Amino acid sequence: MVTALGAVDQDLGVLKTGKEADVHLVRRWVPGDDGSEVVLAAKRYRSNQHRLFHRDSGYLEGRRVRKSREMRAMAHRTTFGKEVISGLWAAAEFDALGRLWELGLPVPYPVQITGDEMLMEFIGMTEGPTPVAAPRLAQTRPAPALLDELWHQLRRALLVLAREGWTHGDLSPYNVLLHEDRLVLIDWPQIVDVIGNPHGFEILERDATNMCDWFVRRGLEVDAGELVGELVAEATARY
């Protein structure tokens, strides 16, 4: 990663649009250093006027901010409250990626956060004139042997996550990339504390079921109930 103060960024355009944020491609290099160039993904959270907050209440339960004024503003969805929520989304995703990376989970490396923009590792091919993003798992049809390996990759990742007391919160084959036969889990702003959030176990079950359904549709017989049971056992082992 290029972290020099003299680095220059060039926006290469939109990679993905979403309800809460857009992801841009950014070329970063140090002038005069031909070997310094990297391609990053810049996730830019939308302003409070242009974001959809219909999902916020369920995910934000169990999270707290220090100031009671901010808590009240968040609860009433005032303009200020929405700005606080926007900041929580960005900070939550950056902090989550840092912790998950430390745990060895397959996530993009978080580079930096500035206001409502988070820079992170770009997952895809950077050779050639135009970077090509890794496909979403939903767009792929892996061969049987690879499909089985991908299932074990997913199960290991979810068990580590549950052991920390977390679940993704919005996990589906559209939030998983397939890069060089390895899964990469993306989009983490709504990461859920399974114990602290009153809907935590419901969300955990939904995450696991969404993924199991995709594997079953691709021809691999997996048991969603068995996986959910394993994840709940890991999440509650400390209590």
Side-chain angles (χ1 to χ4, degrees):
M1 292 299 169
V2 178
T3 57
L5 292 178
V8 176
D9 291 347
Q10 177 189 11
D11 193 317
L12 300 179
V14 176
L15 177 65
K16 170 199 168 187
T17 60
K19 295 175 182 176
E20 286 86 19
D22 297 326
V23 180
H24 290 239
L25 279 178
V26 172
R27 172 178 170 251
R28 171 174 285 189
W29 76 98
V30 177
D33 184 353
D34 294 337
S36 67
E37 182 175 321
V38 296
V39 175
L40 302 172
K43 188 166 187 177
R44 297 171 184 170
Y45 283 85
R46 299 185 180 187
S47 68
N48 64 306
Q49 291 91 354
H50 299 99
R51 291 184 64 237
L52 298 180
F53 289 88
H54 65 285
R55 299 185 307 154
D56 286 356
S57 59
Y59 293 121
L60 290 172
E61 290 187 68
R63 298 187 189 178
R64 295 291 183 267
V65 296
R66 293 182 178 180
K67 298 180 180 178
S68 59
R69 172 174 174 255
E70 293 178 350
M71 287 292 294
R72 291 194 299 272
M74 287 168 57
H76 294 292
R77 295 302 191 270
T78 64
T79 298
F80 172 64
K82 289 183 178 181
E83 293 292 353
V84 174
I85 292 172
S86 182
L88 280 180
W89 282 122
E93 181 160 26
F94 187 77
D95 291 345
L97 286 176
R99 178 59 179 147
L100 299 175
W101 179 268
E102 291 175 352
L103 291 170
L105 286 168
V107 299
Y109 178 76
V111 176
Q112 70 183 54
I113 185 170
T114 306
D116 59 359
E117 177 180 280
M118 181 182 67
L119 282 173
M120 56 187 165
E121 176 187 8
F122 169 70
I123 306 298
M125 303 295 293
T126 57
E127 293 79 8
T130 305
V132 178
R136 298 175 185 277
L137 187 62
Q139 301 167 328
T140 68
R141 291 187 174 275
L146 177 57
L147 189 68
D148 183 68
E149 167 58 24
L150 295 178
W151 164 252
H152 289 292
Q153 290 180 30
L154 175 71
R155 179 178 172 274
R156 286 193 297 269
L158 294 185
L159 285 171
V160 172
L161 192 63
R163 199 169 298 135
E164 296 297 312
W166 297 326
T167 190
H168 181 283
D170 193 27
L171 190 59
S172 80
Y174 293 94
N175 283 336
V176 180
L177 304 180
L178 179 56
H179 181 54
E180 298 179 346
D181 294 344
R182 306 294 298 177
L183 298 182
V184 180
L185 280 60
I186 62 171
D187 289 341
W188 290 91
Q190 70 291 308
I191 186 170
V192 171
D193 180 333
V194 176
I195 304 299
N197 189 307
H199 307 287
F201 289 105
E202 174 187 341
I203 296 171
L204 180 150
E205 181 178 10
R206 186 183 65 201
D207 281 352
T209 301
N210 283 343
M211 295 306 300
C212 287
D213 287 348
W214 182 86
F215 279 93
V216 170
R217 290 196 301 272
R218 289 294 187 267
L220 186 67
E221 291 300 323
V222 298
D223 188 327
E226 181 179 343
L227 177 61
V228 170
E230 290 181 308
L231 297 178
V232 169
E234 290 291 343
T236 56
R238 295 178 297 174
Y239 298 91

